[in-house]
Amino acid sequence: MSVQVPKVVLYVLNTVYTVFGLAIAAASIWFFCQVFEFTRLRNSNHYLLDYSVYWPQAVPWMFFFVGFFVLMVSGCGFAGVCRKNRGMLTLYAVAMSLVVLFAVAAAVVALVFADSKSTDDFVKDTVWDVYFQTKNDNEVADAFGIIERKLHCCGADSPRDYKNWKNEFPVSCCDVYYHGWLEPYAIDCEFTNKLANERHGCSTVAAQYARIAIKVLSGASIFTAFIAIMGIVCAISLSKALEKKTRPPPVHESESKKVLL
């Protein structure tokens, strides 16, 4: 019973640990794709000689490696529990300790450096760069229109950005199609359109979503580290229980005297 209890608890903790590892890895890939959707449209010549850290691009990589390490270590944990191998459990506890440090460090770095004005500046600079590309490149304009529809935003800083060079809002700023039983139809998208005028600029919306994603990834990373700490305790308890179980029983004094006689 002393072996069974920590074994079951470690199974449960390792399962939750694996799920969070998968979630962090998947969320980091999703975040990378969302950032790439903007950065692929910008003028790459503006960034060739700039070696500063772009946190919205670095954060997904940090947390992807956190999720990857979590999955690797959880595999070692499952193997150690199934085989009741003390050596693998010890390796698991050591590896989990390193993952705890890495997960907490990634969360702290993200919250201090990425969840800050540097992310807002990067997003605003990127959105404005893409916005200027839309004036001369129809493909970029179409791609930016998809972003405006998805984020329900309009323009770079505000919908009024279009007033200086367009006769009306682009259709992506308005609820252009009616999604219902009727056939889709175009809605008037002049500068008097109330819906379009009430939307925020894409730089503001994208920066807010980036900040939220950074906070969620950081929180999940810290919670995963907390689960890992409990897993380390259970792994040590299971290792000690296995040691007691495999230890040979003590020889009583009376039995030893009989052997001598």
Side-chain angles (χ1 to χ4, degrees):
M1 185 66 179
S2 60
V3 173
Q4 195 65 22
V5 172
K7 181 180 177 180
V8 172
V9 174
L10 192 57
Y11 259 128
V12 174
L13 288 175
N14 216 39
T15 301
V16 177
Y17 188 65
T18 303
V19 170
F20 269 86
L22 283 170
I24 290 173
S28 62
I29 293 173
W30 171 84
F31 188 27
F32 174 82
C33 292
Q34 299 305 308
V35 175
F36 182 73
E37 190 173 4
F38 277 99
T39 56
R40 70 184 179 87
L41 300 176
R42 68 189 181 189
N43 187 345
S44 59
N45 293 327
H46 295 170
Y47 300 86
L48 290 178
L49 300 178
D50 192 346
Y51 296 98
S52 60
V53 177
Y54 297 143
W55 285 110
Q57 291 178 296
V59 164
W61 287 103
M62 286 195 310
F63 288 106
F64 175 78
F65 283 114
V66 169
F68 177 76
F69 290 149
V70 166
L71 294 176
M72 292 288 289
V73 174
S74 63
C76 177
F78 280 122
V81 174
C82 291
R83 297 183 181 181
K84 296 181 180 180
N85 188 308
R86 292 184 61 239
M88 294 190 72
L89 288 172
T90 302
L91 178 62
Y92 172 71
V94 173
M96 287 274 271
S97 301
L98 296 176
V99 171
V100 168
L101 293 176
F102 187 40
V104 173
V108 171
V109 169
L111 291 174
V112 172
F113 295 102
D115 187 23
S116 63
K117 189 175 180 296
S118 61
T119 292
D120 298 339
D121 292 341
F122 171 79
V123 172
K124 183 175 182 178
D125 181 48
T126 301
V127 171
W128 267 108
D129 195 13
V130 173
Y131 172 75
F132 280 121
Q133 299 290 345
T134 63
K135 296 182 179 181
N136 304 313
D137 192 326
N138 291 331
E139 290 186 4
V140 175
D142 292 340
F144 188 67
I146 294 174
I147 293 174
E148 286 181 319
R149 286 192 182 96
K150 185 169 68 173
L151 298 182
H152 298 284
C153 58
C154 184
D157 272 348
S158 72
R160 310 307 293 179
D161 296 333
Y162 287 109
K163 193 172 182 181
N164 295 328
W165 61 288
K166 278 185 174 290
N167 295 324
E168 60 181 8
F169 288 125
V171 292
S172 53
C173 283
C174 308
D175 190 6
V176 184
Y177 298 108
Y178 176 81
H179 303 281
W181 297 105
L182 302 177
E183 290 294 324
Y185 60 88
I187 295 177
D188 180 29
C189 205
E190 294 182 355
F191 287 123
T192 55
N193 186 290
K194 185 174 183 294
L195 176 65
N197 278 301
E198 288 179 348
R199 289 187 173 183
H200 294 289
C202 289
S203 60
T204 301
V205 176
Q208 288 178 346
Y209 276 123
R211 292 277 198 113
I212 292 172
I214 290 168
K215 288 184 176 71
V216 170
L217 284 169
S218 299
S221 184
I222 292 174
F223 186 72
T224 303
F226 177 71
I227 296 174
I229 293 172
M230 292 191 294
I232 293 170
V233 174
C234 287
I236 294 172
S237 300
L238 180 58
S239 180
K240 289 182 178 179
L242 290 172
E243 182 183 8
K244 292 179 181 179
K245 188 176 180 179
T246 56
R247 186 181 300 166
V251 179
H252 295 290
E253 185 178 354
S254 58
E255 293 179 356
S256 63
K257 287 181 180 179
K258 290 179 181 179
V259 173
L260 291 174
L261 292 174

